[in-house]
Amino acid sequence: MNPVLQALTGLALILPAAAGARVSAPVRPEAGSPDAPRAITPSPAVTRVAEWVTASGDNHLLPYAIVDKTNAALFLFDAGGKPLAEVPVLVGIALGDDATPGVGSKKLAEIGPAEKTTPAGRFLAKFGLAFRKERILWVDYATSVALHPIPTDAAKKERRRERMLSPSPEDNRVTFGCINVPKAFYGKVLRAQFQKKGGYVYVLPDTKPLEEVFPRLRVQALMQVGTAQ
């Protein structure tokens, strides 16, 4: 079995599926708690991107996360490519892999339904101040896409915690484009990895071909073919 796939599979088996927790033991949420994620397994696309990043060193010795929008999941790796955690996420309401030009400068009330997308791509994410003077992890500052816990004001109104914990990823599309993650994971796992120098976030597409968003995957595929011959 490929080392990366083996590590991902091993991580999925370490913690009990009943609790749905895919984080290290010190921050494992109790079953039924607001931060208890559902059971998650890596898709072929996640495994392929993880293999490419590890083999090529595309993360430049920084921690990185892979966001699978289709399955509403995030997979976190340390700087050396070791899988650390996998958690459910909430993403933009609308399907689509591109941000609308100028959307980052709009007020929330001005953003139309079709503009509420989580753009796909490779982003160098760093912590910075948000409009509420809180430090959040900016994935793409220009389009106002950040990675953060569920906002308090939206948690009850939009039932975001319930959506995050539901057995299906179909109702996890609820944000304006930001990526929401469990609070415990954000504060105790992700922050520890990204707070010093930041890290990379690879957001997988839900409408475009994977190799269109990450062209270097074609190079990896050609190298694999050449090795096999």
Side-chain angles (χ1 to χ4, degrees):
M1 180 182 291
N2 181 280
V4 174
L5 177 59
Q6 186 175 17
L8 284 169
T9 303
L11 179 63
L13 296 175
I14 289 174
L15 303 176
R22 293 288 190 264
V23 297
S24 55
V27 294
R28 185 190 307 175
E30 296 181 0
S33 75
D35 288 322
R38 56 181 166 79
I40 297 170
T41 55
S43 66
V46 169
T47 300
R48 187 179 177 194
V49 171
E51 290 175 348
W52 158 59
V53 174
T54 300
S56 65
D58 188 76
N59 60 313
H60 299 290
L61 298 178
L62 290 175
Y64 65 96
I66 299 175
V67 178
D68 183 352
K69 290 194 290 178
T70 301
N71 295 300
L74 178 149
F75 299 82
L76 180 67
F77 301 80
D78 68 10
K82 177 184 176 182
L84 297 178
E86 49 190 45
V87 295
V89 297
L90 300 177
V91 295
I93 293 174
L95 286 171
D97 298 314
D98 296 303
T100 302
V103 69
S105 61
K106 291 185 177 182
K107 296 180 180 179
L108 292 182
E110 299 173 339
I111 300 176
E115 296 179 307
K116 297 175 182 178
T117 59
T118 299
R122 172 184 181 271
F123 304 94
L124 178 56
K126 293 185 178 182
F127 275 95
L129 293 178
F131 68 96
R132 292 177 178 174
K133 305 302 180 182
E134 299 174 356
R135 286 180 61 80
I136 61 173
L137 184 63
W138 287 106
V139 175
D140 186 21
Y141 188 82
T143 59
S144 295
V145 174
L147 195 157
H148 56 77
I150 296 172
T152 303
D153 56 354
K156 185 175 182 180
K157 181 180 179 181
E158 299 173 342
R159 302 182 70 251
R160 291 198 182 187
R161 289 195 178 92
E162 290 81 359
R163 287 170 178 263
M164 183 176 283
L165 296 174
S166 69
S168 170
E170 295 180 0
D171 60 352
N172 287 46
R173 292 184 176 275
V174 64
T175 77
F176 280 68
C178 285
I179 303 163
N180 289 176
V181 296
K183 184 177 181 180
F185 163 76
Y186 181 83
K188 298 181 180 180
V189 184
L190 183 85
R191 187 186 298 276
Q193 293 294 315
F194 279 70
Q195 66 180 352
K196 290 184 178 180
K197 297 181 179 180
Y200 285 92
V201 176
Y202 299 85
V203 182
L204 306 190
D206 49 30
T207 58
K208 292 182 177 181
L210 188 64
E211 291 185 347
E212 182 177 336
V213 176
F214 305 108
R216 293 181 184 177
L217 286 173
R218 295 192 182 96
V219 177
Q220 180 198 42
L222 290 173
M223 291 178 62
Q224 290 175 340
V225 171
T227 303
Q229 293 176 348

